[in-house]
């Protein structure tokens, strides 16, 4: 089994490789290919990855190449984890929107749109290379904004699913609070990528007992602190939102915070410098503890589980993925990409039935879906007016003066990545 990681020079990669090594019985990889245009970083990460495999006794080979066609040739699955523009572009995404009093974040709001505009054309070009080399290969997208990128892939006819680590992270946290095995926790997880709610926490499977009310009653303060939202809000909602909902439920508070402290991009850039120095140690043969602060917790486990299901019909029977709506949420278009539990196998993902969703959440989902429609249109076809329309539609912006100014800022800061600009 050959698996290719596009963006293999990422500091995330040792987390992924560690998961492949530990879970080799679930996903028996014979060849892992890391590809990245940044050759120096690629060789550094490749060397550490080989040491991780060797230390854990994994028999597979790890190769590195900057040649995308060679990397994807014969691959059974291709995992995308790239960042167009690097941390420098992320730093911009998280700062210039603040000038208009709007949240600065790399996956939502104006910064999220900027990232989508940079990323979608690059991902579609990569996917075309995959299709020419092996049309049966699965593409697993971990590249943000996952919902928009996955929709672009599916709209272009690629075999693709989107993956996010929010659900698996919450599953692990809830299991720890309940003192039980994470495998026994099923989440009624509903929404769009980075816009999701846990409406039930079930023991034993989709039909199991819902322990969410007791979880909130006993551990609500801990959960609220993790989400950085008030405990009374969770009690009133009666559900557990993802931490990304803080950008919506406490927008102005977040903007005030962002204006008075270093950006997350600056923190991550510093962390990456330290990680790369650690990776250069030829005696290091495991992922360092610092990597846990980088983000992407349990990413490797989610990736292994999904790839095993797609390639072998193995792994967990139900997994949270980003896939086409196709009537699952009747208030959204069929071609919307939603994030819900699904039965996953070699034929793809079939979303499980979703109970009726509270209008308090459906309205926001519908609004962000409309924005994602317009964002994808702007990413595919460009023009200033398409960017303006997407920004005007976003629930975190919505005022024409802000949308106008943010359009100018977005184009100015991303001109080198926008062929039409």
């Amino acid at each position: 089994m050959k698996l290719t990681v596009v963006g293999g020079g990422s500091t995330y990669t040792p987390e992924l490789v560690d998961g492949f090594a530990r879970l080799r019985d679930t996903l028996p990889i014979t060849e892992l290919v890391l590809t990245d245009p940044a050759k120096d970083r690629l060789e550094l990460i490749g060397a550490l990855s080989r040491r991780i495999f060797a230390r854990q006794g994994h028999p597979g080979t790890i190769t590195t190449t900057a040649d995308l066609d060679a990397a994807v040739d014969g691959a059974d699955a291709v995992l995308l984890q790239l960042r167009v523009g690097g941390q420098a572009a992320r730093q911009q995404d998280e700062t210039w929107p603040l000038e208009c009093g709007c949240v600065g974040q790399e996956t939502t709001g104006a910064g999220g749109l900027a990232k989508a505009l940079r990323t979608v054309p690059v991902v579609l070009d990569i996917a075309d290379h995959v299709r020419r080399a092996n049309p049966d290969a699965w593409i697993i997208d971990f590249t943000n904004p996952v919902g928009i990128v996955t929709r672009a892939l599916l709209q272009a006819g690629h075999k693709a699913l989107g993956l996010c680590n929010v659900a698996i992270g919450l599953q692990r946290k809830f299991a720890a609070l309940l003192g039980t095995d994470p495998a026994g926790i099923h989440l009624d997880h509903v929404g769009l990528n980075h816009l999701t709610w846990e409406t039930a926490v079930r023991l034993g499977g989709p039909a199991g007992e819902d322990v969410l009310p007791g979880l909130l009653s006993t551990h609500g303060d801990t959960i609220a602190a993790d989400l950085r939202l008030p405990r009374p809000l969770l009690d009133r909602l009666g559900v557990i939102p993802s931490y990304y909902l803080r950008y919506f439920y406490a927008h102005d508070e977040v903007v005030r915070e962002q204006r008075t402290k270093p950006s997350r991009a600056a923190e991550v850039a510093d962390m990456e410098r330290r990680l790369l120095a650690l990776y250069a140690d030829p005696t290091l043969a495991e992922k360092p503890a610092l990597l846990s602060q980088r983000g992407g917790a349990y990413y490797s486990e989610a990736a292994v589980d999904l790839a095993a299901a797609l390639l072998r019909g193995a792994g967990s029977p139900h997994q949270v993925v980003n896939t086409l709506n196709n009537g699952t949420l009747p208030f959204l278009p069929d071609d919307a990409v939603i994030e819900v539990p699904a039965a996953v196998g070699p034929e793809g993902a079939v979303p499980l039935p979703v109970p009726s969703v509270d209008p308090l959440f459906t309205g926001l989902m519908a609004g962000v879906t409309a924005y994602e429609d317009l964002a994808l249109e702007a990413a595919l076809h460009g023009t200033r007016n398409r960017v303006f329309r997407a920004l005007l539609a976003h629930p975190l912006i919505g005022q024409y003066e802000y949308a106008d100014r943010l359009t100018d800022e977005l184009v100015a800061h991303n001109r080198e990545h926008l062929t039409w600009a």
Side-chain angles (χ1 to χ4, degrees), residues 386-408:
R386 288 192 176 98
V387 174
F388 169 80
R389 284 164 53 83
L391 290 169
L392 187 62
H394 200 292
L396 294 181
I397 301 168
Q399 298 184 54
Y400 76 88
E401 290 184 353
Y402 287 173
D404 239 348
R405 182 176 171 187
L406 289 168
T407 297
D408 290 338

Side-chain angles (χ1 to χ4, degrees), residues 165-310:
N165 68 317
V166 167
I168 194 172
L170 288 173
Q171 180 199 45
R172 299 306 197 264
K173 287 181 180 178
F174 298 159
L177 292 173
L178 295 168
T180 190
D181 184 349
I185 298 287
H186 175 89
L187 301 179
D188 282 9
H189 177 102
V190 63
L192 314 177
N193 180 243
H194 289 184
L195 193 84
T196 52
W197 297 261
E198 313 308 320
T199 59
V201 178
R202 302 187 183 277
L203 298 180
E209 175 192 2
D210 179 16
V211 298
L212 187 148
L215 188 65
L216 278 176
S217 175
T218 306
H219 302 287
D221 289 342
T222 299
I223 295 169
D226 283 345
L227 299 174
R228 301 185 65 199
L229 288 170
R231 163 69 186 274
L233 174 63
L234 301 190
D235 293 334
R236 293 171 71 181
L237 293 176
V239 303
I240 299 175
S242 84
Y243 50 85
Y244 285 95
L245 264 298
R246 186 168 184 260
Y247 296 116
F248 293 82
Y249 292 160
H251 176 273
D252 292 353
E253 179 182 347
V254 171
V255 169
R256 287 193 295 271
E257 291 174 0
Q258 290 182 331
R259 283 173 161 170
T260 58
K261 68 176 187 178
S263 68
R264 174 61 178 166
E267 294 175 355
V268 170
D270 177 67
M271 199 177 304
E272 286 201 331
R273 285 190 290 270
R274 289 185 285 152
L275 282 170
L276 290 170
L278 291 173
Y279 295 169
D281 179 357
T283 66
L284 183 69
E286 60 185 359
K287 62 178 183 179
L290 178 62
L291 186 54
S292 66
Q293 301 175 34
R294 173 66 178 81
Y298 308 111
Y299 160 43
S300 63
E301 294 178 31
V304 167
D305 215 15
L306 182 53
L310 293 172

Side-chain angles (χ1 to χ4, degrees), residues 14-345:
E15 159 72 24
L16 189 63
V17 171
D18 176 75
F20 291 155
R22 288 185 294 103
L23 303 171
R24 55 185 174 273
D25 291 340
T26 303
L27 188 66
I29 297 171
T30 55
E31 182 182 4
L32 176 63
V33 182
L34 308 179
T35 185
D36 199 296
K39 294 182 180 180
D40 291 345
R41 283 180 57 144
L42 181 61
E43 291 309 313
L44 187 67
I45 302 297
L48 172 58
S49 299
R50 293 185 193 98
R51 296 195 297 270
I52 291 174
F53 261 32
R55 178 167 183 168
Q56 299 196 33
H58 194 295
T61 62
I62 296 179
T63 59
T64 60
T65 178
D67 184 335
L68 179 61
D69 287 320
V72 301
D73 184 34
D76 297 289
V78 177
L79 198 152
L80 307 180
Q81 57 166 34
L82 56 144
R83 181 184 296 279
V84 179
Q87 294 298 333
R90 178 178 181 173
Q91 170 70 13
Q92 294 179 350
D93 294 345
E94 294 181 354
T95 51
W96 54 262
L98 296 174
E99 298 171 10
C100 292
C102 295
V103 69
Q105 214 279 327
E106 65 159 346
T107 64
T108 193
L113 177 60
K115 185 167 190 180
L117 297 184
R118 294 193 303 269
T119 304
V120 165
V122 174
V123 165
L124 289 178
D125 179 65
I126 292 168
D128 285 341
H129 283 262
V130 175
R131 181 155 51 193
R132 288 194 296 269
N134 183 7
D136 293 326
W138 277 100
I139 296 175
I140 299 173
D141 177 56
F142 192 69
T143 296
N144 282 318
V146 168
I148 296 172
V149 172
T150 302
R151 187 167 182 177
L153 288 165
L154 293 171
Q155 184 172 294
H158 297 288
K159 288 179 62 175
L161 287 175
L163 178 65
C164 181
N165 68 317
V166 167
I168 194 172
L170 288 173
Q171 180 199 45
R172 299 306 197 264
K173 287 181 180 178
F174 298 159
L177 292 173
L178 295 168
T180 190
D181 184 349
I185 298 287
H186 175 89
L187 301 179
D188 282 9
H189 177 102
V190 63
L192 314 177
N193 180 243
H194 289 184
L195 193 84
T196 52
W197 297 261
E198 313 308 320
T199 59
V201 178
R202 302 187 183 277
L203 298 180
E209 175 192 2
D210 179 16
V211 298
L212 187 148
L215 188 65
L216 278 176
S217 175
T218 306
H219 302 287
D221 289 342
T222 299
I223 295 169
D226 283 345
L227 299 174
R228 301 185 65 199
L229 288 170
R231 163 69 186 274
L233 174 63
L234 301 190
D235 293 334
R236 293 171 71 181
L237 293 176
V239 303
I240 299 175
S242 84
Y243 50 85
Y244 285 95
L245 264 298
R246 186 168 184 260
Y247 296 116
F248 293 82
Y249 292 160
H251 176 273
D252 292 353
E253 179 182 347
V254 171
V255 169
R256 287 193 295 271
E257 291 174 0
Q258 290 182 331
R259 283 173 161 170
T260 58
K261 68 176 187 178
S263 68
R264 174 61 178 166
E267 294 175 355
V268 170
D270 177 67
M271 199 177 304
E272 286 201 331
R273 285 190 290 270
R274 289 185 285 152
L275 282 170
L276 290 170
L278 291 173
Y279 295 169
D281 179 357
T283 66
L284 183 69
E286 60 185 359
K287 62 178 183 179
L290 178 62
L291 186 54
S292 66
Q293 301 175 34
R294 173 66 178 81
Y298 308 111
Y299 160 43
S300 63
E301 294 178 31
V304 167
D305 215 15
L306 182 53
L310 293 172
L311 301 179
R312 304 180 65 222
S316 303
H318 303 124
Q319 301 180 38
V320 173
V321 296
N322 285 262
T323 190
L324 288 175
N325 180 36
N326 281 339
T328 304
L329 301 179
F331 52 88
L332 295 182
D334 284 349
D335 64 350
V337 166
I338 60 174
E339 187 172 294
V340 293
V344 183

